[in-house]
Amino acid sequence: MENPVAKSLEVIIPGYRMHSQMFNNMLDGIQEADAQKRIENKTNHFTWMVGNLVNCRYWLADILGLAEKDPNEDLFKDAKALDINATYPSLDELKREWHKISPLIYQKLLHIKEAELMHAYPFGMNVPFVEENKLNMIGMSMDRESYLFGQLGLMRKILNYPGVKYDVDESLAY
């Protein structure tokens, strides 16, 4: 009999899979030239947001003990601020990285044990009601992804793209 999913991840895994779906939907139709636009030179551009989202998945991989590293870490690690002088990867490159790391994380989420989820994972937030363990950092990662998806959805509208669709690609199994 296959090991069941850790009880504490029963809500996280469907959210994770929906985020995997939403990533493609957010990028649908976005032109590279538009992906570099900022609003009144105050916002991050679409590419930075997407790169930060990919980096968030790599951070989640690290939390879960996977060895893979983000090849664009120097641009995005720790939500590094947008550098207007930096050369950012294309949306296609970032999309490839998303789909490279995401299935590996998904498999780890399906097989991780409850006891491992409770292992300490110091993050330095020092919030008295957030125990710094792997489970809570998975939750923080999902929250960060949600935040970035919200920004991307707003940028789609500002850049005159249709609102994001909630279409599901059933062949995307992670």
Side-chain angles (χ1 to χ4, degrees), residues 68-99:
E68 283 70 20
K69 297 293 179 207
D70 183 354
N72 299 299
E73 185 173 275
D74 58 319
L75 293 169
F76 302 111
K77 187 175 182 176
D78 299 325
K80 183 179 178 181
L82 174 79
D83 179 351
I84 59 170
N85 297 312
T87 301
Y88 285 88
S90 70
L91 293 178
D92 283 341
E93 291 173 79
L94 292 169
K95 191 173 183 177
R96 279 192 298 276
E97 286 302 318
W98 177 268
H99 291 296

Side-chain angles (χ1 to χ4, degrees), residues 92-122:
D92 283 341
E93 291 173 79
L94 292 169
K95 191 173 183 177
R96 279 192 298 276
E97 286 302 318
W98 177 268
H99 291 296
K100 176 180 155 189
I101 194 60
S102 294
L104 301 176
I105 295 168
Y106 180 66
Q107 286 305 309
K108 183 69 175 181
L109 290 171
L110 291 178
H111 297 97
I112 196 167
K113 304 290 184 222
E114 286 289 340
E116 186 179 346
L117 291 168
M118 296 304 122
H119 286 179
Y121 190 88

